[in-house]
């Protein structure tokens, strides 16, 4: 569903991962599920993560954007923000996702914007607002991730 665009990471984040021998921009993606659904991350920092997803191919039988597809976009964006907040020494694992669906979308792209509600030492919570191409809110979501220390098996 289109080419993966280069994600815009803050330079200090790129430098932090580069010091560990990790090429973050080359490594990063929306994951296998996100790629199948056409999720593209456009901007990523601990303060704000922006991504898009096509409605086409992600609908339920009535032709509307599937609520589960909105949940995938929300969890992807919130997880990226949590991972960037936690830094290279932590892994972000989603533990709670809440989605409220406000209106349907039948075509075009939806855009999600994740912003932090809480950024602590062991958890991070992000609000994700998903809107249609006219800027109308389609879904409001909240994701909480556990931030755990990286272990050798990771």
């Amino acid at each position: 569903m289109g080419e993966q665009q280069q994600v815009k990471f803050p330079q200090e984040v790129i430098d932090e991962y580069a010091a560990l021998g990790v090429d973050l921009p080359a490594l990063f993606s929306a994951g296998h599920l996100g790629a199948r659904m056409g999720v593209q991350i456009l901007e990523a920092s601990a303060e704000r993560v922006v991504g898009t997803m096509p409605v086409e191919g992600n609908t339920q039988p009535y032709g509307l954007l599937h609520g589960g597809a909105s949940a995938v976009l929300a969890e992807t964006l919130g997880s990226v923000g949590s991972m960037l907040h936690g830094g290279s020494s932590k892994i972000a694992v989603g533990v709670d996702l809440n989605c409220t669906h406000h209106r349907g979308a039948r075509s075009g792209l939806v855009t999600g914007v994740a912003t932090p509600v809480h950024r602590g030492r062991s958890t991070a919570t992000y609000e994700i607002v998903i809107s249609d191409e006219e800027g109308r809110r389609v879904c409001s979501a909240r994701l909480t991730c556990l931030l755990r220390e990286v272990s050798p098996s990771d």
Side-chain angles (χ1 to χ4, degrees):
M1 293 198 180
E3 296 178 21
Q4 185 72 18
Q5 297 179 357
Q6 186 71 21
V7 180
K8 298 175 190 169
F9 287 103
Q11 189 59 49
E12 62 271 13
V13 172
I14 293 172
D15 293 345
E16 177 185 353
Y17 283 84
L20 299 170
V22 177
D23 182 353
L24 188 61
L27 176 69
F28 186 81
S29 75
H32 295 294
L33 177 60
R36 278 196 303 273
M37 296 181 73
V39 173
Q40 294 204 357
I41 308 296
L42 306 177
E43 175 187 332
S45 72
E47 291 77 31
R48 178 179 155 97
V49 182
V50 179
T52 61
M53 180 180 66
V55 172
E56 184 178 343
N58 294 314
T59 58
Q60 39 87 311
Y62 297 117
L64 297 170
L65 178 65
H66 195 292
S70 294
V72 167
L73 178 59
E75 184 150 357
T76 299
L77 301 178
S79 293
V80 169
S82 296
M83 181 265 305
L84 292 171
H85 164 66
S88 58
S89 66
K90 299 210 175 172
I91 292 175
V93 180
V95 294
D96 182 62
L97 176 64
N98 172 298
C99 298
T100 301
H101 307 288
H102 305 290
R103 70 179 322 114
R106 292 188 177 277
S107 63
L109 286 177
V110 290
T111 300
V113 179
T115 54
V117 174
H118 166 77
R119 291 188 293 169
R121 287 176 291 163
S122 61
T123 63
T125 301
Y126 280 75
E127 176 186 42
I128 305 93
V129 174
I130 300 174
S131 303
D132 64 15
E133 290 181 322
E134 287 78 42
R136 297 175 300 190
R137 189 178 291 223
V138 172
C139 176
S140 298
R142 187 185 66 245
L143 173 72
T144 298
C145 288
L146 174 67
L147 301 174
R148 67 175 183 83
E149 296 295 324
V150 174
S151 68
S153 63
D154 297 328

